Amino acid sequence: MSVYQHILLAIDFLPEDDQIIQKVRDLELLTGAKLSLIHVLDNIPMPDTPYGTVIPPDTEVTNTMLETEKQKLNRAGDMLGIDSARRWLIWGEPGKEIIRIAGQENADLIVVGSHGRHGLALLLGSTASSVLHYAKCDVLAVRLQDE
Ligand code: AMP
């Protein structure tokens, strides 16, 4: 049995995402693990929508900002050949939702990027450090180089 069975990749749609995507592609080849993808929406106003709401990536939406996020998720999902049922677009707090979906879907490795922030940014907490601290499974933090 391979060291990892199910890898959850968390992306925030920055140009550096390509570096994490490449790493995950290599990991998939090495382990044969199943892949899932998650993006948590925390920058779109969605009144009356409770945190944790899943937005199915294959349904039509009228909100144009949401549509753009959906397209980005699907582009990354297509690049990695990830089944649409394992592409997660969720309204909420990134660290919390990434950990929740990893638990719910039995992922045994979460992959995030790390910008190597320090000082105040670290004190205030980042998504990567929150996942690293609270995840119940292994976490790979891919050190991102500035593009
Ligand atoms: P940060 O801690 O905000 O610098 O982000 C580091 C990494 O956390 C990113 O490279 C992603 O892997 C992940 N991440 C940050 N924000 C989100 C988000 N909204 N949805 C999914 N993953 C995220």
Side-chain angles (χ1 to χ4, degrees):
M1 197 166 66
S2 171
V3 62
Y4 293 117
Q5 312 291 307
H6 188 180
I7 299 171
L8 176 66
L9 164 62
I11 51 170
D12 56 353
F13 303 150
L14 293 176
E16 296 88 26
D17 280 352
D18 285 353
Q19 298 170 41
I20 321 179
I21 288 174
Q22 186 54 52
K23 229 358 105 74
V24 166
R25 195 178 271 141
D26 292 346
L27 273 173
E28 183 195 20
L29 284 175
L30 278 173
T31 62
K34 179 167 81 176
L35 300 183
S36 290
L37 180 65
I38 183 168
H39 176 70
V40 183
L41 300 159
D42 61 345
N43 55 354
I44 295 182
M46 303 237 291
D48 303 327
T49 309
Y51 268 16
T53 300
V54 176
I55 294 113
D58 50 1
T59 53
E60 279 198 22
V61 287
T62 47
N63 181 329
T64 43
M65 285 169 89
L66 200 55
E67 181 59 34
T68 308
E69 301 295 286
K70 213 182 70 177
Q71 282 173 6
K72 290 182 195 166
L73 183 85
N74 283 329
R75 200 175 311 127
D78 289 348
M79 278 171 81
L80 286 163
I82 296 176
D83 194 285
S84 61
R86 295 201 304 275
R87 300 178 187 183
W88 297 92
L89 192 59
I90 298 185
W91 167 239
E93 193 186 313
K96 210 167 164 185
E97 295 304 324
I98 293 166
I99 291 167
R100 186 174 71 81
I101 293 298
Q104 177 189 305
E105 298 300 304
N106 291 319
D108 48 12
L109 178 69
I110 300 173
V111 180
V112 292
S114 165
H115 295 278
R117 290 195 191 111
H118 50 276
L120 198 58
L122 190 57
L123 281 177
L124 291 173
S126 65
T127 303
S129 63
S130 144
V131 171
L132 208 53
H133 281 104
Y134 298 110
K136 298 265 189 299
C137 63
D138 288 0
V139 177
L140 172 66
V142 176
R143 177 55 56 93
L144 302 171
Q145 311 298 329
D146 288 340
E147 295 274 294

